[in-house]
Structure formats: C-alpha cells, structure tokens
Amino acid sequence: MLDVRGLQKVYEGRERRVEAVRDLTFSLEAGELACLVGPSGCGKTTLLKCVAGLLAPTSGEVRLNGRPVDGPPPGMAVVFQEYGRSLFAWMNVYDNVELPLRQKRMPKARRRELVHDALAAVGLADAHRAYPWQLSGGMQQRVAIARAVAYEPSVLLMDEPFAAVDAQTRADLEDLIRDLWHKLRVTVLFITHDIDEAVYLGQRVLILSSSPTVVQEQLTIDLPDERDQLTTRADPRFTSLRTHVYEQIQAAKRNAGTPQEEAPEVAGSDDTRPDLDRTPA
Ligand code: ADP
Ligand code: MG
C-alpha cells in the first residue's frame, strides 16, 4: 500500500549540505502496524515529511496505492511530536478535532458523529468544551490522536507522538494506539527513538542506521497480537527482541557516517554486523 523506494533527502543550506536520508526502501501492507526506530537525528522526521508529501525528496519516490505522493495525499493523517503546537489554542477540543472534517466538506451531522466517536475512543468524552491549555500534555496528545482518527485516514503517520509525556500516560497511549489500530484496521507507521516502544507496538520494526540513513534491518515482531504492558514486557521473547534492536542501533551508531555496504566490520564480532531482512532465531 505504501512504497518508499530509494528515498534520499539532502538539505542544501548556504553553508552546509546535510544528507539526512541516504537510501531508504521499504513498503507497508494495508492494515499493517510498523514501527520505525532509529537514533535521534537519523532522519526520521525527514522521512515522515517526505512520506506525508510535505517535503520533496532529493531522489527516489514515495507511492501510496500505486500513486506517486507529490503533496499531502487524501486519506493520510499525521500526529506530530509537538502536540503543543499542533492544536489551535483558541479553539476548544471539539473544534480542533472537527476542523479537518470541515475541510473535507462533510455534512454537519456526520462531523458531529465522528468527533464524538473519536473523542470517546481516546477517553475524552467529557472534554469537548475544554481548551488545549486547560489539558495536560497527555490529554493534548489524545486530542491530536482523536483529530487524526476522526478524519478516517487509511494511513496514520505518527512521529514520536509520546516523547514528551510521562511514563504512565505513555503506556496508556501505547495501548490506545493498538486498540484503535485493531478497531479501525488503519495502516500505521509509528516513528520512535524508543526501542521498547517500537517492539511493544509493532508487528514489524524497521531499524534505521544513523545519518546518512538507510534501513538497517526489518524485524518481524512475533509476539502475540494481544499485548499488555505487564505480560508482554515480561515475556522473554520481548526481552530478546529488544536486545537485538538495541544491538543493531549500537552497531549503527558505531558505523555512523559510512554507507551500509561499506560499513567496516565491527571489532571483534561478526554477528553485530548489520544484516538486511534478518529475523533472529
Ligand atoms: P530525527 O527526526 O531522526 O531526529 P531529522 O529528520 O529531524 O531527524 O533530521 C535529520 C538530519 O537532518 C539532522 O542532521 C538535522 O539536523 C537535519 N535537518 C533536519 N531538518 C533540516 C532542515 N530543514 N535544514 C537542514 N538540515 C535539517
Ligand atoms: Mg524527529
């Protein structure tokens, strides 16, 4: 459904040329929940902006349902990290969630239904009239998620959406995402720098190298579909998957700056070498 082929993005500044993303290729199946994990500064947000049609790639392409993405495609919703800046301070919760539906020119009754359902789904059925500044960070991010969900996207992109909320809220929001994904059968690309979060949430984890960025490994997360914060995180399989991802990211950091094909052997061990499409036993 979503195809990213040979994506490269170079920021050409007056003084500096930054190759944020070198060569990214991956695809998402319809209805899949994939997490993309990589160190800070490796180009995750750059990739997301290219996928969302907000930024033109230097080379390579993004296709959604076979069509090249050259501007924000209909049917795609994005939740950014900075919820503080993504909600309109002068609009209450209801109006914030309704706004994109107005732009879809949807009848009022249908809009109301979608806004009510989305706010109920994120546990904010009682907060319609509140303003963003009256809400905690976690609640504001729920509003941003509700807005994305009400839009009924076929693809939901999330860029480190929980990076700024406390641990308990974060755990709740992670479960909320899996819940919504189960209910809505939407395709989700979830970007994070948090390894545990990626393994806990995803059916698949795409591990990115450091900048200039390539997909270092695609890992199938063979944990049961029913996940919960206590049992899943205590599952030995969870531990071994997170350890594997951690090692890959450490290896990626050591190899920073060298393209994958030319990456030097990591001293003293063969098995930490990046290896495409490898699923650990
Ligand atoms: P991440 O989201 O993984 O932290 P980003 O995509 O934000 O990474 O950034 C990747 C690299 O590109 C970084 O080195 C960053 O400084 C650089 N970068 C991001 N945006 C711009 C920009 N608009 N102009 C120049 N360089 C940028
Ligand atoms: Mg980012």
Side-chain angles (χ1 to χ4, degrees):
M1 173 190 223
L2 178 71
D3 277 301
V4 176
R5 304 246 142 261
L7 187 85
Q8 184 203 26
K9 179 66 191 179
V10 179
Y11 293 105
E12 300 280 2
R14 230 169 286 160
E15 278 140 41
R16 227 156 59 94
R17 175 184 181 279
V18 180
E19 185 184 25
V21 170
R22 172 158 293 174
D23 182 5
L24 286 180
T25 298
F26 64 89
S27 350
L28 256 61
E29 301 288 331
E32 190 180 3
L33 198 178
C35 293
L36 213 134
V37 65
S40 283
C42 80
K44 299 182 296 296
T45 298
T46 301
L47 165 71
L48 177 120
K49 286 179 176 165
C50 291
V51 170
L54 300 170
L55 198 61
T58 306
S59 62
E61 67 167 358
V62 179
R63 281 176 176 268
L64 183 63
N65 294 317
R67 263 194 229 129
V69 169
D70 50 13
M76 196 181 265
V78 186
V79 177
F80 290 102
Q81 178 175 349
E82 303 103 346
Y83 45 80
R85 283 199 278 157
S86 76
L87 301 177
F88 294 109
W90 60 91
M91 286 185 184
N92 66 26
V93 165
Y94 184 97
D95 292 341
N96 264 287
V97 176
E98 190 194 28
L99 186 65
L101 306 184
R102 284 174 174 268
Q103 284 154 357
K104 260 188 171 179
R105 298 177 177 281
M106 190 178 272
K108 191 171 178 186
R110 177 69 182 141
R111 292 202 305 258
R112 185 180 300 149
E113 189 181 7
L114 285 168
V115 174
H116 274 266
D117 288 354
L119 284 170
V122 301
L124 288 178
D126 298 330
H128 290 202
R129 303 270 155 252
Y131 285 85
W133 46 269
Q134 295 174 310
L135 304 175
S136 68
M139 287 165 92
Q140 289 178 41
Q141 194 59 308
R142 278 172 206 264
V143 177
I145 294 167
R147 184 170 58 187
V149 165
Y151 187 71
E152 299 183 295
S154 53
V155 184
L156 178 58
L157 305 177
M158 308 188 91
D159 188 12
E160 308 208 37
F162 312 144
V165 298
D166 62 88
Q168 182 55 54
T169 306
R170 181 179 195 138
D172 292 347
L173 291 176
E174 287 167 1
D175 290 338
L176 172 68
I177 291 303
R178 287 216 33 117
D179 233 40
L180 289 172
W181 169 68
H182 273 132
K183 280 190 200 131
L184 305 173
R185 286 290 146 202
V186 57
T187 310
V188 182
L189 181 60
F190 188 102
I191 294 181
T192 180
H193 67 266
D194 185 311
I195 295 165
D196 289 51
E197 183 166 82
V199 172
Y200 181 73
L201 281 179
Q203 294 178 295
R204 194 152 61 102
V205 171
L206 311 178
I207 304 170
L208 298 184
S209 71
S210 302
S211 193
T213 308
V214 298
V215 177
Q216 166 144 329
E217 181 177 342
Q218 306 200 22
L219 186 68
T220 302
I221 303 300
D222 51 4
L223 293 167
D225 185 46
E226 275 304 314
R227 299 189 189 172
D228 85 75
Q229 296 286 347
L230 290 178
T231 31
T232 304
R233 288 178 190 270
D235 186 332
R237 185 66 189 142
F238 178 86
T239 317
S240 83
L241 286 164
R242 75 170 297 284
T243 304
H244 179 79
V245 176
Y246 182 81
E247 284 168 357
Q248 289 297 306
I249 288 180
Q250 290 303 312
K253 282 188 192 160
R254 286 195 293 271
N255 294 340
T258 353
Q260 194 192 351
E261 297 76 18
E262 296 157 28
E265 211 63 58
V266 175
S269 87
D270 277 333
D271 56 10
T272 50
R273 229 197 115 150
D275 204 355
L276 271 174
D277 288 322
R278 197 183 65 147
T279 306

